[in-house]
Amino acid sequence: MTIYSVMPLELVLDGIRQQPGPYLTVQAGDVRLQIEAVAPGIGRIVRLTDGPLDAYLRPELTPGTLVAYGATTS
């Protein structure tokens, strides 16, 4: 792999060996979200795993958005 960047290599590779997660799967209406818990009952959206196509265009479901959640499915 070749990386071309003006950033220092230490910044580019920072955290490369850290494992992501753990992730939770949450059903929010007709959309299934994969979230990363950041506090009890609050998570950051990682990605949408299932839902209607127009859900991918909704700004409140963009990755990185903080959401409140209750029940988890997995």
Side-chain angles (χ1 to χ4, degrees):
M1 171 173 70
T2 304
I3 298 176
Y4 295 100
S5 177
V6 295
M7 295 175 58
L9 187 61
E10 296 81 22
L11 289 177
V12 173
L13 299 178
D14 185 38
I16 196 167
R17 298 207 186 272
Q18 294 177 352
Q19 292 292 326
Y23 297 132
L24 303 170
T25 302
V26 176
Q27 187 75 30
D30 57 350
V31 179
R32 186 175 303 135
L33 303 169
Q34 186 179 46
I35 63 171
E36 179 180 19
V38 294
I42 299 176
R44 179 174 288 114
I45 298 176
V46 176
R47 65 184 179 137
L48 277 68
T49 57
D50 188 29
L53 293 178
D54 63 338
Y56 291 87
L57 299 175
R58 293 171 40 194
E60 65 271 14
L61 298 177
T62 56
T65 304
L66 294 177
V67 293
Y69 68 94
T72 60
T73 60
S74 169

